[in-house]
Amino acid sequence: MDFSLSSEQQMIQDSVSRFILNDYDFDTRRKILGSTAGYSQENWSVFAELGWLMLPFTEEDGGLGGSMVDLALVMEEFGKGMVVEPFIATAVMAGGLIALAGNQAQKDDYLPKIMAGELQMAFAYAEPQSRYRLNNVKCSAVKTNDEFFITGEKSVVLNGNHAETLIVAARTSGETNDNNGISLFLVDAHHPSVKREGYANVDGHQAADIWFDNTPTLGLLGEQDKALPAIDNIIDKATLAVCAEAVGAMQIAHERTLEYAKTRKQFGRTIGSFQALQHRMVNMFIEHQQAKSILLMAALKMDSNNGRDGKALSAAKSRIGKAASLVGREAIQIHGGIGMTDELDVGHIFKRLTTIQFLFGSTDMHTTRFASL
């Protein structure tokens, strides 16, 4: 089987790689994290100019028609630079839901703005009690005079503090854990009845807890009461994206550790000459290569099944989660105390890898899901 990249895929990968190498070094990232916004609007405009924000959308919707493999290629390079701009939150999740469930008028209104880098969005689906159960929705939407009003709370909404428009999963019928009865709504994030508390997660990415107090909606997205399949679909795509990001981050963690071991001296010798540490760094390399292989398997299977393959995806998330844990911990331990300082990128990589292990379902959750499929 030929795993070589097409000329278009190679071009996309090279463009992202050059951007990370030339314009997104570690010091630049630290300055971005220290800014008020926590991400760079200038970089977001560059993403749009280079066409990366068009990648997840079909040609019919004005995009590039990128596959899951294409998305994985971009996210792997983003992982190498620990990119904090809200690509997944806006382009993959919110934009993906509009492309998947929206009517033509909604697509025409929102998708061009997303692809042009003119609109920030977020998908508010998780709640404090829901854990990883996508059907566990208490936040409710009640219809009054042909208009829906939302009341409830959403937690850890990625890019929720900067989004201008939100997509909110709310219950329109049934009980809290019912699969049916969940609907998607577009909401003006700046409406007075919306309260947002933004913060930076441990990995530096922006998120928010959001409260709705009888908030009017901008419209229903998709069919009422039947939004769960669309939510499942888009969370699976986001999961593959963070798996690819983890693979890129693991590569850099291993490379940095190898470089450090060649220069750090102890007992008159470089620590890389100690056999015990050599074995540990080989294990890091093996874990990264296995993670990369299972990521490619999942992306190819999802592409061959219209973007869906829960079993392959959960296998990848479970395996990559375990690899991320080992590679992250070994990078820190071999570096020693300096590895956890803010001045060294290894500590930041460790934080991102740790966060990814719990994003869109933990390692244990996906192991259980894999066994059930």
Side-chain angles (χ1 to χ4, degrees):
M1 191 171 183
D2 184 11
F3 291 112
S4 60
L5 301 180
S6 67
S7 58
E8 292 83 2
Q9 289 173 329
Q10 189 66 61
M11 184 171 61
I12 292 172
Q13 186 184 51
D14 288 346
S15 70
V16 183
S17 179
R18 283 195 302 271
F19 171 78
I20 298 300
L21 182 64
N22 299 327
D23 303 304
Y24 212 93
D25 60 28
F26 178 58
D27 288 336
T28 299
R29 180 183 184 271
R30 287 183 68 199
K31 291 177 182 177
I32 292 172
L33 291 180
S35 67
T36 303
Y39 78 97
S40 169
Q41 182 58 49
E42 181 181 350
N43 285 339
W44 191 248
S45 298
V46 171
F47 290 8
E49 290 171 10
L50 295 175
W52 301 342
L53 300 183
M54 300 171 66
L55 184 73
F57 303 103
T58 64
E59 294 180 6
E60 291 77 12
D61 289 332
L64 296 179
S67 64
M68 298 306 296
V69 172
D70 297 334
L71 177 62
L73 288 173
V74 170
M75 290 306 304
E76 187 174 349
E77 296 303 319
F78 279 177
K80 294 176 183 178
M82 294 180 287
V83 169
V84 294
E85 279 66 34
F87 181 84
I88 292 178
T90 295
V92 176
M93 296 173 72
L97 279 173
I98 293 173
L100 184 64
N103 56 41
Q104 194 59 50
Q106 290 167 332
K107 290 181 181 182
D108 292 342
D109 188 15
Y110 291 98
L111 295 187
K113 295 176 185 176
I114 291 174
M115 287 185 268
E118 298 169 356
L119 178 65
Q120 290 283 340
M121 295 190 68
F123 177 31
Y125 69 95
E127 299 181 8
Q129 83 291 337
S130 62
R131 294 286 292 173
Y132 304 122
R133 299 170 304 218
L134 299 178
N135 63 333
N136 187 294
V137 177
K138 283 185 178 180
C139 184
S140 63
V142 177
K143 193 172 187 180
T144 305
N145 296 329
D146 295 327
E147 185 177 8
F148 282 96
F149 293 83
I150 297 179
T151 299
E153 177 185 358
K154 295 294 180 179
S155 60
V156 199
V157 180
L158 299 179
N159 198 41
N161 48 343
H162 297 302
E164 299 157 77
T165 304
L166 301 169
I167 297 177
V168 182
R171 185 160 293 284
T172 44
S173 67
E175 301 299 322
T176 300
N177 289 300
D178 288 350
N179 288 338
N180 292 322
I182 302 171
S183 305
L184 294 172
F185 297 94
L186 292 158
V187 174
D188 178 7
H190 298 295
H191 193 275
S193 63
V194 177
K195 177 186 175 185
R196 295 188 283 181
E197 187 175 308
Y199 48 83
N201 288 325
V202 68
D203 57 357
H205 286 245
Q206 298 290 309
D209 294 334
I210 306 177
W211 293 265
F212 304 93
D213 185 10
N214 204 34
T215 302
T217 65
L218 300 174
L220 177 68
L221 191 66
E223 192 174 354
Q224 183 177 334
D225 292 338
K226 297 183 179 179
L228 188 59
I231 296 172
D232 276 330
N233 184 307
I234 217 66
I235 295 300
D236 277 359
K237 289 180 179 178
T239 303
L240 184 88
V242 295
C243 283
E245 185 182 350
V247 169
M250 280 188 273
Q251 178 179 331
I252 298 302
H254 176 256
E255 290 176 359
R256 295 289 187 271
T257 305
L258 193 59
E259 292 169 5
Y260 182 75
K262 290 178 179 179
T263 58
R264 174 74 165 92
K265 289 186 176 181
Q266 189 72 17
F267 307 115
R269 299 166 55 189
T270 58
I271 63 173
S273 65
F274 300 146
Q275 190 176 52
L277 295 187
Q278 290 174 1
H279 289 171
R280 291 169 68 173
M281 286 182 284
V282 167
N283 287 338
M284 291 172 68
F285 175 78
I286 291 171
E287 289 291 331
H288 168 254
Q289 291 298 306
Q290 289 180 334
K292 190 163 186 171
S293 295
I294 202 167
L295 169 68
L296 180 59
M297 180 274 293
L300 289 171
K301 286 201 170 186
M302 290 176 75
D303 276 334
S304 65
N305 195 33
N306 296 319
R308 299 300 307 278
D309 194 313
K311 193 176 183 72
L313 178 68
S314 283
K317 185 64 161 68
S318 173
R319 189 68 194 82
I320 290 172
K322 293 175 182 176
S325 176
L326 184 141
V327 172
R329 286 185 288 106
E330 290 287 51
I332 293 296
Q333 290 180 15
I334 292 174
H335 274 83
I338 194 175
M340 285 305 296
T341 61
D342 187 65
E343 292 77 14
L344 205 67
D345 58 356
V346 170
H348 293 254
I349 294 171
F350 173 74
K351 291 175 183 177
R352 183 56 180 164
L353 287 175
T354 301
T355 301
I356 288 175
Q357 291 172 52
F358 298 95
L359 266 179
F360 311 123
S362 66
T363 302
D364 289 343
M365 174 263 175
H366 277 283
T367 303
T368 302
R369 183 192 185 202
F370 172 80
S372 68
L373 294 175

